């Protein structure tokens, strides 16, 4: 909608400008100390076999590298980041801490 002119982007909540909106400043450039984004992760139940786990990883890797998927993501301004195992676990811990601190700072943790 921004690229079509229906909306105007005031800033992006990343540390660096994004390719999809090269003329839009970061929120930090606008004086706001906010860096936030959306993400998606898929999980499997604990105790799955190594064979099933590897099959899932292989399937996701093939989708991640698929030309159609890459094109869709790029055409729509999405940033692809692949995290698995310990890297994903660390990322999720960081996100939990960040949003927990944010909720507390904003005072919205009480009913």
């Amino acid at each position: 909608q921004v690229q079509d002119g229906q909306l105007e982007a005031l800033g992006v909540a990343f540390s660096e400008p994004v390719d999809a909106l090269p003329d839009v400043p970061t929120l930090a450039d606008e004086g706001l100390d906010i860096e936030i984004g959306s993400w998606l992760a898929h999980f499997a139940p604990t105790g799955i076999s190594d064979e099933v786990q590897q099959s899932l990883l292989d399937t996701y890797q093939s989708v991640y590298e698929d030309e159609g998927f890459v094109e869709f993501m790029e055409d729509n301004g999405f940033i692809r980041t692949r995290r698995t195992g310990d890297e994903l676990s660390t990322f999720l811990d960081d996100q939990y801490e960040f949003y927990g601190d944010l909720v507390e700072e904003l005072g919205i943790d009480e009913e």
Side-chain angles (χ1 to χ4, degrees):
Q1 291 175 321
V2 171
Q3 291 171 343
D4 291 341
Q6 297 171 341
L7 294 175
E8 179 182 352
L10 302 177
V12 294
F14 294 98
S15 59
E16 301 288 328
V18 295
D19 292 340
L21 301 168
D23 298 326
V24 177
T26 67
L27 293 179
D29 291 337
E30 298 298 308
L32 298 168
D33 186 22
I34 299 172
E35 188 176 323
I36 196 169
S38 61
W39 51 268
L40 171 67
H42 294 107
F43 302 89
T46 58
I48 63 170
S49 70
D50 290 345
E51 181 181 314
V52 170
Q53 183 179 0
Q54 190 58 54
S55 176
L56 289 170
L57 288 170
D58 291 346
T59 299
Y60 278 102
Q61 184 64 28
S62 69
V63 170
Y64 190 80
E65 294 174 353
D66 179 79
E67 287 181 32
F69 177 73
V70 171
E71 183 179 335
F72 170 83
M73 296 293 282
E74 289 175 355
D75 288 350
N76 289 284
F78 293 113
I79 299 169
R80 294 182 317 127
T81 302
R82 184 174 184 264
R83 297 181 182 98
T84 60
D86 290 340
E87 184 181 15
L88 176 60
S89 182
T90 299
F91 173 77
L92 293 173
D93 288 344
D94 292 346
Q95 291 291 286
Y96 184 83
E97 182 178 345
F98 172 80
Y99 285 106
D101 291 346
L102 182 61
V103 164
E104 187 176 310
E105 181 182 327
L106 296 174
I108 57 176
D109 59 338
E110 298 178 18
E111 294 180 23

